[in-house]
Amino acid sequence: MTQTPADDAELSYEAARAQLVEVVAQLESGKVPLSESMALRERGEQLAARCQAWLDGARATVDAARQARPES
């Protein structure tokens, strides 16, 4: 079952990363036909973008917390 970008919005960081690791392993195996490799590469880019969005959100949360913290 292929997920769509809309479905990706529901993925946790851990789930997206696990799927990305699986995609990379398949690509690195060299046992995937070219057409499937191209689809896997596209899927990997989608998953990487989802992971980056999670990390960006976490960084923004940490930065906001630091700015809200009173100076000592």
Side-chain angles (χ1 to χ4, degrees):
M1 180 172 145
T2 302
Q3 288 189 296
T4 65
D7 295 332
D8 287 350
E10 302 298 319
L11 286 176
S12 68
Y13 172 81
E14 293 80 4
R17 186 179 181 282
Q19 287 185 29
L20 181 55
V21 167
E22 185 178 317
V23 165
V24 170
Q26 288 179 310
L27 288 170
E28 288 180 342
S29 77
K31 298 177 182 177
V32 182
L34 179 60
S35 60
E36 189 176 339
S37 291
M38 292 170 60
L40 282 170
R41 181 179 177 275
E42 182 177 325
R43 181 68 184 138
E45 288 178 2
Q46 293 167 349
L47 291 165
R50 181 63 184 141
C51 289
Q52 190 62 54
W54 269 107
L55 294 172
D56 291 345
R59 179 174 297 277
T61 300
V62 169
D63 289 345
R66 284 183 178 160
Q67 289 177 357
R69 184 177 62 191
E71 293 288 326
S72 298

